[in-house]
Amino acid sequence: MPDTPESFNASVYLVDRQVEAGLGDRTAVTGPSGTLSYAELAGLVAELAAGLRIHGIRPEERVLMVMSDRPETLATILAVMRMGAVAVPVSTMCTGAELGALFRDARARTVVATPEFADAVSIALGQAPEVATLILAGDQRPGGREQASHERGGREPGGRERGGEEPGSHEPDAGVAVLAWTDVLAAGRASGAEGAYPTWADSPALWLYTSGTTGAPKAAMHRHGGVRGVCEAYARQVLGITSGDRCFSVAKLFFAYGIGNSLFFPLSVGGATVLEPSRPTPAGVAERVRAERPTLFFAAPTFFAALLAADLPADTFASVRLAVSAGEALPPEIYRRFTARHGVDVIDGIGSTEALHIFISNRPGQVRPGTSGTEVPGYEARLLDAEGAPVKDGDPGDLYVRGDSIATGYWCRTATTRQVFQGEWLRTGDTYVRSRDGYFTCLGRSNDMIKASGIWVSPMEVEARLLEHVSVAECAVVAFTDADGLEKPVACVVPAAGATVDAGELVAFCREGLASFKRPREVLVLEGLPKTATGKIQRMIIRGIAARILGGS
């Protein structure tokens, strides 16, 4: 008989371990939706896990969550992992139809939702016959009924009811048991909470949906051991996180970036997390920072730009010892302006849903603006050319990474899994260049590179130059194919507040700071740039906008 692997459960690692270490009275989670100590959180998680088991959830079964950032969400993720099931937090920005596709893909039997998403979930349930149970958290209760019904497909996209019904009147399908989160918790409390399920480091713990490197949403499958991996590598050895830290993340819990920032990292050391359930705005984030005084602040480059545009008081981030940027490369000018105004260092890095968090990063006090930094301890990165051969330092190549937190693959996506997960290595889909002293610089997604005048151009290099101009608030450089089939760099820019963009002046400005072939051939002024839910610029959409305006192919 093979040896039985050593038991390891990520929920126990994050919560029970802190109580056993005598940190039960310390604050684990706080924010406008409530505050819990570690002892309170541990009790809540154990009781909820028992309640979920009583209501038929089994180990290794998926539990899908459509929940805003609040203590109940944190407890649900932890409880699902504690009982050996698989937590699947999904984007709260999805429409009902988009949620329905995720429900079907995950083959989930149980969905947990917070009240503000009940209508979208109801639409999704009409498209997901395998869902048997809906658990409503927060203030919304099922009105004492265990069953409710409606006709499938009774709501049109956008939330408007067919037949003139008011929004909010939609109910789950017949056959879907509707339970209150508090009742599930009470059932677990009455039964007496049991110990954690004996999972292993390689047991499935978490799925995170991503479009990632290949388009359509797919679930990256993560192990219990991967949670520990990102905490011991990035959180401890890059952030230097301690029990005295308070973490506040603009990215939400359903993102890989957000779940690390707001759940894994602070709880792994007995620190505190600040949860904000509402959609992030510069004013709202600034208010939360002033109220909760976090020491670690996490956001994406576009949000750092938005904070600068909001012209917040210089002391807004006085409590923050370190800020972190990820999601896409942080332009050097945004870094310089933010640090100069707020006096807070920002370390940029690259991570991915498939890797669970950041694997290349700058270090506090050692930031090289415009780069993603160096390899995080525990990870190894390499750059390969199109034939799979290593490239020399200074030459661009496709970025591959390996480390303990890499996902085991995509759920039910064999062909894509084989393309992206190559043995121990994850093919990230990014083009990078490495300096002789080990700093990695992003040149963009591998399919975003532009060949102008027969020479490869990195859009990000041109964008960094444009952002240095006082008239530019945001920009994206994309390829435009002219009537002769030749690619040309085109700059789509959003003017700074009160500024007027002069296209000729911007082109000349780029000529002064870049090689001539890198200059944009056209400058288009837009009111805003389309972005994904994570704040990444949607270059494919922008390419289409440029083509329509310029009349090319």
Side-chain angles (χ1 to χ4, degrees):
M1 293 289 290
D3 293 336
T4 301
E6 181 182 357
S7 178
F8 176 79
N9 186 283
S11 181
V12 173
Y13 167 80
L14 294 169
V15 182
D16 302 57
R17 186 169 60 97
Q18 310 306 342
V19 176
E20 293 169 2
L23 303 180
D25 292 337
R26 293 184 65 92
T27 297
V29 55
T30 190
S33 296
T35 298
L36 293 171
S37 69
Y38 273 92
E40 291 169 332
L41 179 60
L44 194 67
V45 168
E47 290 167 356
L48 184 60
L52 293 172
R53 178 185 55 78
I54 289 169
H55 283 92
I57 296 175
R58 300 164 296 192
E60 301 187 9
E61 184 171 273
R62 280 80 66 195
V63 178
L64 198 142
M65 303 165 213
V66 191
M67 308 178 76
S68 54
D69 284 18
R70 56 182 70 205
E72 296 98 323
T73 309
L74 205 74
T76 302
I77 294 170
L78 291 163
V80 170
M81 292 196 298
R82 179 185 177 86
M83 63 166 298
V86 181
V88 190
V90 299
S91 174
T92 57
M93 302 179 73
C94 288
T95 65
E98 289 168 334
L99 285 176
L102 297 182
F103 289 10
R104 293 193 306 274
D105 184 75
R107 300 293 190 263
R109 295 174 62 249
T110 303
V111 173
V112 187
T114 45
E116 60 269 50
F117 310 115
D119 281 353
V121 168
S122 185
I123 296 169
L125 292 176
Q127 305 170 20
E130 294 189 10
V131 176
T133 304
L134 170 62
I135 301 173
L136 294 174
D139 297 329
Q140 182 160 336
R141 295 177 62 85
R145 296 173 296 174
E146 289 192 358
Q147 305 271 340
S149 66
H150 73 82
E151 293 184 22
R152 288 189 182 275
R155 186 191 296 268
E156 295 176 347
R160 184 176 291 274
E161 299 281 359
R162 293 194 182 116
E165 295 178 42
E166 290 298 319
S169 63
H170 224 57
E171 294 181 333
D173 283 309
V176 176
V178 185
L179 308 171
W181 190 89
T182 51
D183 290 343
V184 175
L185 181 66
R189 184 180 302 121
S191 72
E194 302 175 350
Y197 187 78
T199 51
W200 308 323
D202 283 344
S203 296
L206 177 75
W207 286 7
L208 294 169
Y209 272 90
T210 176
S211 347
T213 56
T214 55
K218 51 200 172 295
M221 303 181 291
H222 286 284
R223 309 152 37 250
H224 280 260
V227 173
R228 178 174 56 189
V230 293
C231 295
E232 299 295 334
Y234 180 78
R236 288 185 182 273
Q237 300 185 65
V238 175
L239 298 180
I241 194 168
T242 71
S243 60
D245 278 311
R246 294 166 68 88
C247 298
F248 180 41
S249 174
V250 173
K252 299 298 187 180
L253 284 166
F254 60 81
F255 295 123
Y257 184 38
I259 200 170
N261 305 338
S262 293
L263 197 166
F264 300 156
F265 297 165
L267 298 193
S268 71
V269 293
T273 182
V274 177
L275 296 184
E276 170 58 65
S278 63
R279 182 176 180 179
T281 64
V285 165
E287 179 183 359
R288 189 59 47 218
V289 168
R290 286 190 290 266
E292 303 292 350
R293 299 191 61 77
T295 59
L296 291 169
F297 176 73
F298 306 82
T302 50
F303 202 85
F304 280 106
L307 290 169
L308 287 169
D311 198 24
L312 300 171
D315 65 351
T316 298
F317 296 90
S319 68
V320 176
R321 69 172 179 85
L322 183 66
V324 178
S325 179
E328 56 186 337
L330 179 68
E333 186 63 18
I334 299 298
Y335 168 81
R336 295 188 190 100
R337 289 169 55 198
F338 189 86
T339 55
R341 176 162 185 79
H342 295 291
V344 178
D345 201 12
V346 184
I347 57 170
D348 188 23
I350 176 177
S352 71
T353 304
E354 293 84 355
L356 194 54
H357 213 272
I358 293 171
F359 49 81
I360 294 176
S361 178
N362 280 277
R363 304 296 196 273
Q366 303 175 43
V367 172
R368 187 172 296 179
T371 77
S372 298
T374 59
E375 292 152 309
V376 170
Y379 295 90
E380 182 182 352
R382 65 183 182 184
L383 301 178
L384 305 179
D385 63 19
E387 284 71 44
V391 301
K392 297 181 297 183
D393 287 340
D395 289 347
D398 292 330
L399 177 65
Y400 290 72
V401 64
R402 66 179 175 185
D404 188 53
S405 68
I406 303 298
T408 57
Y410 297 122
W411 166 250
C412 286
R413 301 290 192 279
T414 301
T416 305
T417 293
R418 288 173 176 167
Q419 292 173 4
V420 176
F421 299 89
Q422 300 183 7
E424 295 180 291
W425 294 91
L426 169 70
R427 182 179 184 180
T428 68
D430 296 290
T431 299
Y432 264 77
V433 63
R434 180 175 55 202
S435 68
R436 289 184 177 179
D437 58 350
Y439 276 78
F440 288 78
T441 299
C442 184
L443 302 180
R445 296 293 291 173
S446 297
N447 58 359
D448 288 333
M449 295 288 284
I450 303 169
K451 202 162 195 178
S453 302
I455 308 172
W456 288 110
V457 175
S458 164
M460 303 186 70
E461 185 180 7
V462 185
E463 290 161 5
R465 175 62 176 168
L466 288 165
L467 285 169
E468 294 177 12
H469 198 279
V470 293
S471 70
V472 178
E474 289 185 286
C475 66
V477 174
V478 296
F480 165 70
T481 304
D482 65 15
D484 295 322
L486 300 175
E487 282 192 350
K488 297 178 179 180
V490 173
C492 297
V493 304
V494 178
T500 300
V501 169
D502 183 309
E505 182 180 337
L506 286 183
V507 172
F509 183 73
C510 287
R511 278 182 180 273
E512 293 171 5
L514 299 171
S516 178
F517 71 87
K518 298 178 182 179
R519 75 191 187 284
R521 307 308 195 264
E522 301 279 352
V523 175
L524 305 178
V525 179
L526 305 179
E527 293 183 359
L529 300 179
K531 300 181 179 71
T532 67
T534 58
K536 295 179 182 179
I537 293 171
Q538 294 180 302
R539 295 178 186 274
M540 184 177 296
I541 295 176
I542 296 173
R543 283 195 289 268
I545 293 172
R548 287 196 297 273
I549 294 174
L550 298 173
S553 58

